[in-house]
Amino acid sequence: MWHVHGSYTTAFVQGPHTYLIPVTPDRGPDGRGRARTWDWPPSAVEVPLDRLRDEEVDAVVLQRPHEEELVRRHLGRRPGKDVPAVYLEHDAPWGDVPLTRHPMADRPDLLLVHVTHFNKLFWDNGTTPARVVEHGVVDPGPRWTGEIAHAAVVVNEPLRRGRYVGTDLLPFVSAGTPLDVFGMRVTELPGRLNIPAAQAYEDLPQHRMHEELARRRAYLHPVRWTSLGLSLLEAMHLSMPVVALATTEVVEAVPPGAGVLSTNPDVLAAALRRLMNDPAEAAEMGKKAREAALERYGLARFLDDWDRVLTEATW
């Protein structure tokens, strides 16, 4: 399995297997190896990409279309024919939604796994067998204090991803509420969007980010169109109240009482201002958010689901 999505892989490698993670000298996109800012167990083993052929592999987990060719070239086997293969799709479809065909559509030799029911519903999977394994999160614990009356948002590359992740909404939703932005390539965001009360925290290690998030009063999730953000689920595990756009899988993940959901940014802005002034309400929402996250997105359920998928996929 390639290291493509750090937070997701952190949960995935907590299971009972040995996980081979290709690595290249430059640690580029096709060889990042073990994560540097997440805590992975020893069972996640770095393997030089050019020595992958020497390893005994029971199954491959693909996450990008070109990884089929990487497996053929470096493992010397054809995914789905010479070695069992699962294709893990992290994203909601792009393009001509809801008519977007998945790049692995009509592939009976593969098992296609989506991370949300929304994604499975909106992708055209063709005849490829498709399953859903909902997210699982390594529980960071109920750390929320809410001592800092700021809203927190976690987003990677917000300037590049723009409307997809709701970057354009931040000045409006955070009006009257100080905003702290965490993630990769966030340093320039406050200045570019002209948000005077915003502060950027660039690419903190996961444990440090959790510590800082838990001190903020509420978690803001302004995402229009992407898969269900793991940072949202991590915030809920921290016992943070959630203020989020009611889009994609969020309406399933955040039950009544655990936060405020709306497709109206004005409603979200008002909710943030209210929570900044009412720490007791924020605490009650956050308690319900954590209960919901533990029940639906607990790590044990996630790993059990993946064991069933891998058993189904292997020959």
Side-chain angles (χ1 to χ4, degrees):
M1 180 185 191
W2 272 262
H3 173 191
V4 173
H5 190 311
S7 293
Y8 191 96
T9 312
T10 297
F12 189 87
V13 299
Q14 304 296 322
H17 311 289
T18 298
Y19 305 89
L20 304 182
I21 312 296
V23 63
T24 56
D26 64 353
R27 293 188 176 268
D30 292 334
R32 290 193 177 108
R34 285 175 56 92
R36 303 293 182 87
T37 57
W38 286 274
D39 185 16
W40 288 9
S43 56
V45 179
E46 284 189 351
V47 177
L49 187 60
D50 59 3
R51 287 181 16 213
L52 199 57
R53 195 181 293 259
D54 300 332
E55 298 294 329
E56 299 227 4
V57 175
D58 299 306
V60 296
V61 178
L62 309 171
Q63 299 169 86
R64 300 166 296 176
H66 76 278
E67 289 178 5
E68 274 202 282
E69 177 56 30
L70 291 177
V71 171
R72 284 193 290 264
R73 188 187 322 151
H74 296 285
L75 188 61
R77 303 194 217 173
R78 296 168 297 171
K81 295 181 174 62
D82 303 321
V83 61
V86 173
Y87 191 97
L88 169 61
E89 178 55 68
H90 292 282
D91 295 326
W94 53 85
D96 192 14
V97 179
L99 304 178
T100 314
R101 279 180 67 75
H102 196 276
M104 298 297 154
D106 298 330
R107 288 287 304 273
D109 56 323
L110 299 178
L111 185 59
L112 179 55
V113 175
H114 292 283
V115 298
T116 70
H117 290 279
F118 180 93
N119 290 4
K120 180 174 179 286
L121 177 70
F122 270 71
W123 276 110
D124 177 1
N125 304 303
T127 59
T128 306
R131 305 287 182 269
V132 175
V133 175
E134 293 192 314
H135 284 303
V137 171
V138 178
D139 182 15
R143 302 188 192 181
W144 182 84
T145 63
E147 64 200 75
I148 301 176
H150 292 189
V153 61
V154 178
V155 60
N156 291 328
E157 300 187 78
L159 294 174
R160 180 183 66 83
R161 297 166 73 193
R163 287 177 57 85
Y164 282 93
V165 294
T167 303
D168 60 302
L169 300 175
L170 292 177
F172 305 100
V173 176
S174 67
T177 302
L179 180 67
D180 294 332
V181 185
F182 299 82
M184 293 188 293
R185 297 187 177 92
V186 298
T187 304
E188 297 181 6
L189 185 142
R192 291 276 293 275
L193 294 186
N194 193 26
I195 312 178
Q199 178 71 38
Y201 295 82
E202 180 69 30
D203 199 18
L204 297 181
Q206 190 182 45
H207 70 280
R208 281 277 292 115
M209 185 180 73
H210 287 162
E211 290 172 3
E212 293 298 331
L213 285 178
R215 300 175 64 204
R216 272 63 184 178
R217 185 68 51 82
Y219 185 81
L220 172 63
H221 189 71
V223 176
R224 276 192 183 90
W225 187 259
T226 187
S227 199
L228 181 61
L230 279 170
S231 56
L232 170 70
L233 301 181
E234 290 169 359
M236 293 172 69
H237 275 78
L238 289 167
S239 295
M240 296 186 74
V242 173
V243 175
L245 278 180
T247 56
T248 63
E249 191 79 358
V250 171
V251 295
E252 291 283 334
V254 184
V260 176
L261 304 183
S262 178
T263 54
N264 184 346
D266 292 337
V267 172
L268 304 187
L272 284 180
R273 290 193 296 269
R274 189 176 78 243
L275 291 173
M276 295 306 112
N277 293 314
D278 193 341
E281 182 187 9
E284 184 60 28
M285 274 189 187
K287 178 182 176 183
K288 292 178 180 177
R290 176 170 168 79
E291 291 170 354
L294 288 173
E295 181 177 355
R296 184 158 185 170
Y297 300 104
L299 186 64
R301 188 276 309 154
F302 171 77
L303 296 174
D304 285 347
D305 285 355
W306 261 112
D307 279 349
R308 281 190 286 273
V309 165
L310 292 171
T311 298
E312 180 182 355
T314 50
W315 305 324

